[in-house]
Amino acid sequence: MTVERIEKIFLGLTAAMLLVFLGALFYSAFGMGMHLPDRAGEILPSEVRNTPPFDDPGVREVGDNQYEVVLIGAAWSFTPREIRVPAGAEVTFIATTTDVIHGVHVEGTRVNFMLIPGQIAKVTSTFREPGEHLMICHEYCGAGHHLMYGRVIVE
Amino acid sequence: MRNPTVASPEGFQLPDSQRRVIRWMIYLAFGALSIGIINGLGQALNYARVDILQYFPGMRTYYQGLTVHGVVNAIVFTFAFANGFLALTTSRALARPLNTPLLWAVLGTMVTGTLLAGYAMATGQASVLYTFYPPLLAHWSFYVGLALLVVSTWLTAILLFGALRGWRKENEGKRIPLMAFISVATYAMWTLASLGIAVSVVGLLIPWSLGLIDHSDPLLSRTLFWFSGHPIVYFWLLPAYVSWYVMVPRQAGGTLFSDSLTRVVFIMFLLLSIPTGFHHQYTDPGISGGMKALHGVLTFGVFFPSMVTAFSVMYALEIGGRRRGGTGLANWFLKLDWGNPALVAQILAMLTFTLGGITGLINASYNLNQAIHNTAWVPGHFHMTVGSAVTMSFMGIAFWLIPYLNRKELVGRGLALVSQWVYFVGVLVMARGLISGGLDGMPRRTEMLEAPYSKPSWELAGMLTGLGGTLMFVGGMLFFAVLIATILFGRKTETPEDIPFTDTYHPPATTGWEVKLDSFRYWVIATIVLILIAYGPFLAQYLPGNFTSTGYRFF
Ligand SMILES: [Cu+2]
Ligand SMILES: [Cu+2]
């Protein structure tokens, strides 16, 4: 077999592999509903705590087995620090920051998103198993960045 | 039909005055790397819960050290090396001297930029990390320093395009020599790509840090950063690819197979490096899922030329291994010249890069990114790309480049080999630690030593990170020992030496479609069109922006 032929096969397989991967990703996104954060509105960073829903952060039941978590990040803590939701419920995080960029990662889950000043983040997920997860600020936000964390308790 | 000047040192010699400037650029690069590696040891040990940063003079916080580590490694080291190295390859390939004042200007801007940014970082007034996301607000000299470092790459671009223009005038109808083509293509890509950082730093952050404007727009600056921040990965990588394509085959005793395919690969990098930045912003609010998906698909596209590279370079190595008596399916690999540190460093770099590439593809994988975004996985990934594929390639190049620039022989060949193996093992151990920790939620860019939270599985991950980082540090220090010994004690070479580059098995075609590959103008226009498709909809919807953030000095 000539090199050109081997190369063509190699590149064909590469292209096929990439297409299969992309297909799987798009199926997981649009078939299984595993979406990334989208546009969910803007907010004035200095007015976060006076702007609904952020004037009343916390967890609330908004429908049949549906919960909403209103979350604020500020150097260097989350409000609320502890989030309790039932296993199997559909949980929507609505979150923003009052100062610099922060991040939210509920470890062990795919709840992983950025808090960017001026932007509202909205992420929906379901925690299937009961248990406890760290909720870590995973974007550098200043000298106390490593102190910024919370917990998600799935009951 | 081989180009007779290729293997002949008499073909062209860079004037001594210019050799000296390039030498200082390479010294600046490795000087920066030495500071970066020393700080890196502190970062890695922090994961193993060992605090050595407290003994570093003037070091106030972990994050100050992390900022220094990122900026000097990822910006000063890589820029200075690319500026010097690709100026040399272009000049040699075209057999033309460069513009001396411009060459000095490149060095001057780099040194000034490094000093300004270095001042801000050393005094703790810029602990904003290498990504400098507003509204964290650094001292103005940090931003001005970064801007000058970018300007130095633009001056280099002018230098290279100027040399190419001069060559074209005298060589009408001829194909651009391959090594010059791929060097210039690298700078064409980066010049376009750097516009994002330039607009953000010069247009938004410098005036903001000077108090001329009150507010920043964090999402806009972040988007502009990643406009440049993905292609910067290729700006780090492509000088190594230049070496892998046209130098490693020669060092391995092989030949590069296809001229056209090599050009196509670099054109693909020019086209596809830039319109992919949103894959760093998959988890950002304020950007639509559709645009993220588009960037995701294009990112998969830019994986393709890297796979072509894997094939071409492996084939060139195989030719070399077989010429040295290798047989069978894999025996040729063992027959390669494992006693040549320049070659060994780059082969090991390629091996780590396969893992770096695979983990990169995972990062780029749309919603899969949520599993690892901003965890320790990410530094695990990029220490196998920029932290080893690029760094070890540059170290490998240094094993012939430093002797070449000084007209001296390499001192400590054995030590040079050891340095690369130690660094190689080190980076694999460290990446294993960071990646396993990251998969279990261990965050990146976080002072783990002081964090009030932890998980049992992070213990081993942290230990491996610290151990691997220590090995990388040792490998790096051995490398610097070889470098310094060569500069101080190397024996003078009498005969003129050439840089080790190869021509191709198939020479460039002089008729047909391949000739059109050399028309940079069309590729640049196509790139701009792709950029408009990838970023136009977001900017049209988002501008004039959301300038509502005041600055914070949380450090
Ligand atoms: Cu934070
Ligand atoms: Cu990227």
Side-chain angles (χ1 to χ4, degrees), chain A residues 3-4 6-7 10-12 14-15 17-19 21-22 25-26 28-30 34-40 42-46 75-76 98-101 103 105 107-123 134 136-149 151, chain B residues 61 63 127-129 131 133-136 218-219 222 257 261 282-290 292-293 296-297 300 303-304 307-308 310-312 315 361 365-375 440-441 443-447 450-455 458 506 541-542 546 548-549 552 554-555:
Chain A
V3 194
E4 283 92 341
I6 300 174
E7 182 163 41
F10 175 82
L11 295 182
T14 302
M17 176 188 81
L18 293 175
L19 288 174
F21 285 176
L22 278 176
L25 290 173
F26 279 89
S28 71
F30 300 105
M34 291 157 82
H35 291 292
L36 293 171
D38 210 303
R39 279 156 52 199
E42 299 190 345
I43 189 168
L44 203 58
S46 55
W76 292 295
T98 64
D99 44 43
V100 295
I101 296 182
H105 184 201
E107 54 80 24
T109 78
R110 59 175 201 88
V111 175
N112 185 335
F113 58 96
M114 306 304 297
L115 303 180
I116 297 178
Q119 302 293 329
I120 296 171
K122 209 167 169 180
V123 172
L134 291 170
I136 301 164
C137 171
H138 65 14
E139 185 55 79
Y140 170 64
C141 54
H145 161 55
H146 48 275
L147 305 174
M148 185 164 168
Y149 80 112
R151 274 178 211 286
Chain B
T61 68
Y63 302 105
S127 300
V128 292
L129 306 193
T131 44
Y133 299 135
L136 284 174
L219 181 60
R222 197 172 147 84
F257 193 69
L261 196 63
Y282 281 148
T283 63
D284 282 17
I287 301 168
S288 74
K292 290 174 181 175
V297 172
F300 272 60
F303 193 71
F304 198 74
M307 292 301 280
V308 180
F311 186 92
S312 303
Y315 185 62
L361 198 64
S365 291
Y366 200 61
N367 47 17
L368 191 55
N369 179 270
Q370 289 170 308
I372 46 82
H373 175 72
N374 267 4
T375 69
D440 219 357
R444 69 183 285 204
R445 302 182 141 184
T446 301
E447 188 178 7
E450 297 292 333
Y453 55 86
S454 183
K455 286 178 74 178
W458 297 355
H506 291 314
Q541 163 264 314
Y542 188 72
N546 184 7
T548 52
S549 278
Y552 292 92
F554 285 156
F555 44 83

Side-chain angles (χ1 to χ4, degrees), chain B residues 107 268 325 363 430 531:
Chain B
L107 180 63
M268 284 185 79
N363 298 340
M430 185 177 83
I531 292 171

Side-chain angles (χ1 to χ4, degrees), chain B residues 414-438:
Chain B
L415 207 58
L417 283 167
V418 172
S419 76
Q420 297 309 301
W421 280 103
V422 172
Y423 193 94
F424 172 69
V425 173
V427 77
L428 291 182
V429 172
M430 185 177 83
R432 164 63 171 77
L434 288 169
I435 278 177
S436 64

Side-chain angles (χ1 to χ4, degrees), chain A residues 77-104:
Chain A
S77 64
F78 288 114
T79 320
R81 291 203 145 174
E82 196 175 284
I83 294 165
R84 284 177 185 272
V85 288
E90 187 187 285
V91 182
T92 301
F93 289 82
I94 302 171
T96 193
T97 159
T98 64
D99 44 43
V100 295
I101 296 182
H102 299 280
V104 179

Side-chain angles (χ1 to χ4, degrees), chain B residues 403-416:
Chain B
Y404 168 82
L405 292 172
N406 286 290
R407 292 208 168 87
K408 286 181 174 178
E409 280 172 20
L410 187 73
V411 174
R413 208 167 93 120
L415 207 58

Side-chain angles (χ1 to χ4, degrees), chain B residues 179-201:
Chain B
M179 185 162 68
F181 180 88
I182 59 182
S183 305
V184 174
T186 302
Y187 271 83
M189 184 280 290
W190 172 246
T191 304
L192 288 172
S194 58
L195 293 176
I197 280 189
V199 168
S200 177
V201 170

